Amino acid sequence: MPRILIVGGGYAGFYTAWKLEKQLRKGEAEVTMVDPLPYMTYQPFLPEVAAGEIEPRHVVVSHRRHLKRTKIVPAKVTGIDHAHKVATITPAVGEPWQQEYDQIVVTAGAVSRTFPIPGIADNAIGLKTIEEAVAIRDRIIDNFEKAANLPAGPERDRLLTVVVVGGGFAGIEVFAELRAMASSLVKDYPSIAFEDTHFHLIEAMGRIMPEVSLKTSEWVLKSLAKRGANVHLDTQVKGAVDGNVELSTGDVIPTDVIVWTAGVMANPTVVRGGDLPVEERGRIRARADLRVGTDDEVVEGAWAAGDVAAVPDLSGGGVGGYCVPNAQHAVRQAKLLAKNLTAVLRGELPKNYVHKNLGAVAGLGLYSGVFQSGNIAIKGFFAWVAHRGYHGLAMPTWERKLRVVGDWVQNFFHGRDNVTLITVQQPREVFEQFASRPRPPQPAEAAPAAAPAEQKQAAAGDRNTVAAAK
């Protein structure tokens, strides 16, 4: 039986395994998926999770619950020796082992791409995982709690200041959602006014959201400005030591929350730990049919899709001739990859991936959004409805769709659930504080020294005893 190894359980990995289960006949192949996390995260919903509009667990899809015929291995793939068709599997607990395979599907996704800027690695947080989104939400609400007890001053301003770095879709969405959440929080804190909160977006280019037209991006800027947001274009971050964000303009913004959304890069652990061909941007080189290789040469038995792969964009709309790394391409590539892999196992020819981007849609907080398709642009409420409608349908499995829609309905009637659970990140803190501990061992007490008179009497008694004995 052919052995298929899927590296990564994100968009592309989960959908590939999901579709293979539906297309492969029983006993036709053995599918194994390796990922350190037990779930797939629907990343377009992370801004809404960070803003408290969706319950965090509702935007993740359990591998074991929805993949019944796939062997799930909770570990990392730290090496790929495709020449011998062997992968190194490294679990969180236990020793690494070698896994043999016949077909390998690399869908390890991407991670936040950062630069060696002082302080960023120590003080910033990304927006690629559900844990990061939850941490951002809890930190902002907790900062409101702290600031409510402080008089006006630098420390209070620092707690009520949020900086987002990166003006792409992810950055704009989380920036707008967090601005909307902060506006709703003000109602619950009488000592904090709207003018006390400060939101800054830093973008190195001269415009935001390159996926939409310049006119549409300018409308977004005006919409954010009306909500008290500050957007710094043509500006770079030079440092973030101790939370002081130093800009190329010379300005310094003290803050307690720095969200980094300035680009992504292919998972380096998988890419650098293997012998599959890699292109200049660090992605695995893939053909249009999603097999690894070039137009002239195919690496037999190897496939790649999603953010980790450089897949040619045959529609002509991709940057540099390749598909942009987003959820739309990852899901569609995975569906075709499952079909192509099944076809190859049956001796048939694979098909090329051709998908023209139908448009871009972004949420800008409650009841506001933007949609762009060609020269057609929709702004405001109807774009927000399109955003929720598209992603609500794109969320995999009906079980997850209903949970997300249920959150939206609850929020419509009851509003956001603005409660911080930041102490979850230190769950044993209270227990440790009051837990009884055994007393430290005490040093043994020495016998008390005898008085001088007693010492003389004892010595005389000893001499008398010796004399009697003689």
Side-chain angles (χ1 to χ4, degrees):
M1 187 185 300
R3 297 160 297 182
I4 301 173
L5 178 64
I6 301 176
V7 181
Y11 289 118
F14 174 82
Y15 269 94
T16 298
W18 201 26
K19 295 303 178 182
L20 282 174
E21 288 191 357
K22 297 178 180 180
Q23 294 170 20
L24 290 172
R25 294 186 287 266
K26 187 176 181 180
E28 190 173 5
E30 177 185 276
V31 182
T32 300
M33 187 174 74
V34 182
D35 192 283
L37 297 175
Y39 51 77
M40 181 213 90
T41 303
Y42 190 74
Q43 293 181 0
F45 280 150
L46 290 183
E48 292 193 50
V49 171
E53 294 180 18
I54 302 179
E55 163 65 29
R57 287 183 298 178
H58 294 171
V59 305
V60 299
V61 182
S62 170
H63 291 156
R64 296 187 185 276
R65 178 168 185 170
H66 296 284
L67 298 175
K68 300 300 185 183
R69 295 167 51 194
T70 301
K71 181 181 178 182
I72 308 298
V73 178
K76 294 181 179 180
V77 173
T78 54
I80 299 175
D81 182 4
H82 191 67
H84 299 92
K85 292 193 174 180
V86 173
T88 302
I89 312 297
T90 304
V93 178
E95 296 297 322
W97 73 88
Q98 302 296 310
Q99 179 92 14
E100 296 182 348
Y101 61 83
D102 298 298
Q103 302 280 339
I104 190 168
V105 178
V106 183
T107 55
V111 298
S112 296
R113 179 182 57 129
T114 58
F115 307 100
I117 300 173
I120 288 295
D122 300 320
N123 298 300
I125 186 170
L127 192 67
K128 291 292 292 178
T129 68
I130 192 69
E131 293 82 5
E132 290 173 326
V134 172
I136 293 169
R137 172 187 177 273
D138 286 345
R139 173 65 69 85
I140 291 177
I141 300 176
D142 189 61
N143 283 353
F144 266 72
E145 295 282 346
K146 295 175 180 176
N149 293 326
L150 295 176
E155 180 60 18
R156 191 171 187 264
D157 289 340
R158 185 183 70 85
L159 291 172
L160 296 176
T161 299
V162 175
V163 174
V164 176
V165 184
F169 255 59
I172 290 297
E173 285 192 296
V174 72
F175 183 69
E177 292 286 357
L178 294 179
R179 173 70 271 185
M181 182 182 74
S183 299
S184 71
L185 283 172
V186 169
K187 301 191 300 288
D188 299 328
Y189 297 87
S191 62
I192 299 177
F194 176 85
E195 293 75 17
D196 296 331
T197 61
H198 313 284
F199 279 72
H200 297 268
L201 178 79
I202 315 300
E203 170 54 46
M205 297 176 59
R207 57 166 296 182
I208 61 171
M209 303 174 74
E211 299 89 346
V212 302
S213 68
L214 180 60
K215 184 178 180 181
T216 301
S217 70
E218 290 174 347
W219 178 88
V220 174
L221 287 175
K222 293 178 182 177
S223 175
L224 293 174
K226 290 179 182 177
R227 293 185 244 171
N230 302 284
V231 179
H232 306 259
L233 299 178
D234 291 317
T235 305
Q236 297 177 348
V237 175
K238 294 297 184 181
V241 178
D242 297 329
N244 294 308
V245 179
E246 180 184 352
L247 306 181
S248 57
T249 57
D251 295 330
V252 177
I253 306 173
T255 179
D256 194 53
V257 179
I258 305 171
V259 183
W260 182 274
T261 64
V264 297
M265 65 178 181
N267 190 321
T269 303
V270 174
V271 172
R272 298 171 187 170
D275 57 356
L276 297 175
V278 178
E279 48 93 57
E280 56 274 8
R281 295 191 64 183
R283 297 174 295 179
I284 294 176
R285 191 178 296 278
R287 294 160 46 93
D289 59 11
L290 304 176
R291 290 184 290 180
V292 174
T294 63
D295 292 338
D296 303 322
E297 185 179 359
V298 178
V299 179
E300 296 293 342
W303 307 75
D307 294 356
V308 78
V311 179
D313 189 345
L314 300 184
S315 71
V319 179
Y322 294 100
C323 296
V324 296
N326 61 23
Q328 188 177 145
H329 281 303
V331 170
R332 285 168 172 78
Q333 289 171 7
K335 293 178 179 179
L336 179 63
L337 194 156
K339 292 181 180 179
N340 283 351
L341 181 49
T342 302
V344 168
L345 292 178
R346 296 172 182 173
E348 302 171 5
L349 294 176
K351 298 180 180 179
N352 286 340
Y353 174 74
V354 182
H355 173 70
K356 185 177 181 180
N357 196 332
L358 300 179
V361 60
L364 302 176
L366 280 176
Y367 313 125
S368 181
V370 61
F371 169 78
Q372 181 87 44
S373 180
N375 295 325
I376 301 175
I378 303 175
K379 313 176 188 73
F381 176 76
F382 292 106
W384 174 80
V385 172
H387 171 264
R388 286 204 163 178
Y390 172 79
H391 287 297
L393 291 174
M395 183 74 188
T397 81
W398 280 103
E399 175 252 340
R400 291 287 120 173
K401 296 180 199 292
L402 294 176
R403 290 183 187 271
V404 169
V405 172
D407 289 339
W408 289 337
V409 173
Q410 286 279 355
N411 289 344
F412 179 79
F413 288 104
H414 304 298
R416 304 171 195 257
D417 190 0
N418 292 328
V419 177
T420 177
L421 296 177
I422 197 168
T423 53
V424 170
Q425 298 171 32
Q426 296 89 27
R428 298 185 65 252
E429 183 178 2
V430 175
F431 180 83
E432 287 182 304
Q433 181 181 355
F434 297 102
S436 298
R437 290 176 170 83
R439 285 177 131 190
Q442 299 295 325
E445 294 185 2
E454 295 175 345
Q455 292 176 357
K456 292 180 180 179
Q457 184 177 359
D462 290 341
R463 287 194 298 268
N464 294 336
T465 301
V466 171
K470 290 181 178 179

